[in-house]
Amino acid sequence: MTAECFLQNGIPAQADCPLSELCSFHIGGRAGVAVFPRTREELILALRTVLREGAPFDVAGNGTNLLFPDGVYPGVLIVTRRMREADFSGTEITASAGMPLPALAAEAMRRGLSGLEFAQGIPGTVGGGVFMNAGAFGGCMADVTVWSECFDTGTGEVLRFCGAEQCFGTRTSIYERNKRYILLGAGLHLTPGDPAAIARKTEDCRTRRARTQPLDLPSAGSVFRHPPGAFAGKLIEDCGLKGTRIGGAEVSTLHAGFIVNTGGATAADVEALIARIRETVLRRTGYRLECEVRTLTYR
């Protein structure tokens, strides 16, 4: 497919797009075509277009939990980060998939609404947050997400999942388990609170994140899910892997659960370092670490 297939329908698109500019790792080759829908309707049209043409594709938000491949990705990458619509109605929020979580949390704080304080420092979007049930400091998206809407690439229908139908779990959801469903947006429920107390809690989350995470270097956040009964970062640190480097990829010396790009890292560097970490932790502790950073694939 070409970028013109989308441009002629009024959807922004770019040929030969640098992938490193679309992810927080600052890693990746180039996408044959990248598409940037601005609305729910444009996203649905883009999805219908790639499905009609039978083109390989994948969907990304802010790219904060993704590892893009080296070389050329010949498919169509649909990027939702320009879908920044959010409507507040009392304690209810309807937000598009590309709405940044920190911006949404800041607006909720301004309105005296509690429930999203944990999200202030999470650099992802509503879509990515629901997809992986993002969370921090005792809060997560499952706590506030009442419903979510998606496009079913198998049937071409728009569906809405409510409550338990979303199958939230630790860093997972129905969307993470079943890639046929592409998130369009979500409905959140917050609770009224004291603005000063909300601001204090938000600042505490932001401060703790800055103190404990390597925010000065490109990364994709925590690389591994916590195995039952243990913490991934502590297992990695206890195995003496802090500071381990392959190419430009390094196990953070601040937080062993992070892999950082110290400059010029490739996807191959990160993948090799992930493999070394998993092998070492399994051999020395018996724990099998499950990667939560997603690698770009074809649909």
Side-chain angles (χ1 to χ4, degrees), residues 50-274:
V50 294
L51 291 171
R52 183 181 67 245
E53 298 297 324
F57 74 98
D58 207 336
V59 180
N62 212 29
T64 54
N65 196 51
L66 281 174
L67 178 63
F68 286 144
D70 303 317
V72 177
Y73 173 74
V76 176
L77 180 63
I78 301 174
V79 184
T80 64
R81 60 170 57 177
R82 298 188 188 179
M83 297 172 56
R84 301 171 64 96
E85 299 165 311
D87 177 65
F88 283 76
S89 178
T91 58
E92 310 301 313
I93 307 173
T94 300
S96 295
M99 182 66 193
L101 283 172
L104 196 66
E107 180 60 19
M109 179 179 67
R110 191 185 71 80
R111 293 171 178 260
L113 296 174
S114 179
L116 278 175
E117 292 90 338
F118 74 90
Q120 179 56 241
I122 296 177
T125 60
V126 167
V130 172
F131 179 92
M132 65 172 295
N133 188 20
F137 308 124
C140 64
M141 291 301 292
D143 297 336
V144 296
T145 305
V146 178
W147 56 264
S148 49
E149 190 178 55
C150 67
F151 180 86
D152 184 342
T153 58
T155 65
E157 298 178 293
V158 173
L159 305 175
R160 177 174 289 198
F161 296 114
C162 300
E165 293 175 337
Q166 297 167 103
C167 301
F168 284 122
T170 302
R171 299 298 175 264
T172 190
S173 69
I174 191 172
Y175 304 104
E176 193 269 339
R177 295 186 180 103
N178 194 331
K179 304 304 190 296
R180 69 185 279 176
Y181 300 132
I182 307 298
L183 272 154
L184 302 173
L188 313 181
H189 173 76
L190 305 183
T191 56
D194 173 45
I198 295 170
R200 285 194 298 271
K201 185 175 180 181
T202 298
E203 183 58 29
D204 178 61
C205 291
R206 185 188 295 113
T207 301
R208 290 168 64 188
R209 185 177 293 273
R211 185 177 65 249
T212 60
Q213 298 181 6
L215 304 182
D216 58 329
L217 290 171
S219 78
S222 297
V223 176
F224 302 101
R225 291 188 172 100
H226 295 314
F231 292 95
K234 187 174 189 309
L235 291 171
I236 296 166
E237 182 174 357
D238 289 347
C239 288
L241 292 170
K242 264 190 174 182
T244 301
R245 181 181 295 200
I246 295 180
E250 179 184 83
V251 178
S252 169
T253 56
L254 180 63
H255 189 315
F258 284 61
I259 290 176
V260 295
N261 179 1
T262 62
T266 65
D269 292 340
V270 175
E271 289 168 343
L273 189 52
I274 288 173

